[in-house]
Amino acid sequence: MNDHPTGTTLSIGDGDKELSERLSAGLDEVNFAATGTTAADQGELSVKVVDDAGEIVGGLTAWTWAGLLGIEMLWIREDRRSEGWGSKLLAAAEEEARRRGCDRACVSSFTFQAPDFYQRHGYTETGRTRGIPGGAEDVHMFKKLDPGS
């Protein structure tokens, strides 16, 4: 029995860039209308460290949207993790976010990753998602970005 309306097809697959782009555009329409923001209020942000050989030491990717910095990923190569690069990357991203008008930041980190790192940098836990593989949890955090810090 086909329970789909005539002329429609449901399909399942792997990653689909075209679908992701269309969903993002559709959600932007809803989000902009609900928040009074526009595409001009959002942007991407990255901070990268490379060594003398041009190899990536580490980096941070994030987005900004109407005063909010959303940190997506922060990673440091294992052999360089004791050099303070994580703190430097985070500080640089927060500084750039402030320059862009952001006054708050959010991030999530699995319990086996770096929630303590973010908490040492002023982030406060706002909730957790259970069920991460290996018995871990995803820790959601928030920070008010002071204008001069």
Side-chain angles (χ1 to χ4, degrees):
M1 180 174 136
N2 182 355
D3 58 354
H4 306 297
T6 305
T8 59
T9 304
L10 184 143
S11 63
I12 300 171
D14 292 326
D16 184 329
K17 185 176 177 172
E18 181 182 354
L19 176 62
S20 292
E21 290 172 358
R22 179 61 186 104
L23 295 178
S24 182
L27 287 171
D28 278 350
E29 292 173 15
V30 173
N31 295 345
F32 294 156
T35 62
T37 61
T38 69
D41 297 312
Q42 63 185 11
E44 295 181 18
L45 189 155
S46 66
V47 184
K48 177 170 58 173
V49 178
V50 295
D51 62 19
D52 292 338
E55 296 295 322
I56 294 176
V57 170
L60 179 150
T61 59
W63 47 263
T64 58
W65 179 38
L68 178 64
L69 167 68
I71 299 168
E72 296 176 322
M73 294 186 280
L74 188 158
W75 173 83
I76 307 296
R77 204 170 68 201
E78 189 170 352
D79 66 325
R80 305 295 295 267
R81 288 190 182 153
S82 63
E83 299 175 5
W85 286 116
S87 295
K88 292 172 189 172
L89 289 166
L90 184 58
E94 289 177 354
E95 182 178 330
E96 174 61 16
R98 280 187 205 89
R99 190 190 70 71
R100 295 181 183 194
C102 295
D103 62 359
R104 58 205 184 284
C106 63
V107 66
S108 71
S109 181
F110 297 145
T111 48
F112 59 81
Q113 291 176 327
D116 292 342
F117 165 81
Y118 290 105
Q119 290 169 344
R120 284 193 309 272
H121 288 85
Y123 287 76
T124 304
E125 182 175 330
T126 59
R128 290 183 179 221
T129 301
R130 296 184 175 104
I132 304 303
E137 296 175 327
D138 192 1
V139 183
H140 307 277
M141 290 170 272
F142 177 85
K143 178 180 180 180
K144 182 81 171 144
L145 297 177
D146 296 325
S149 54

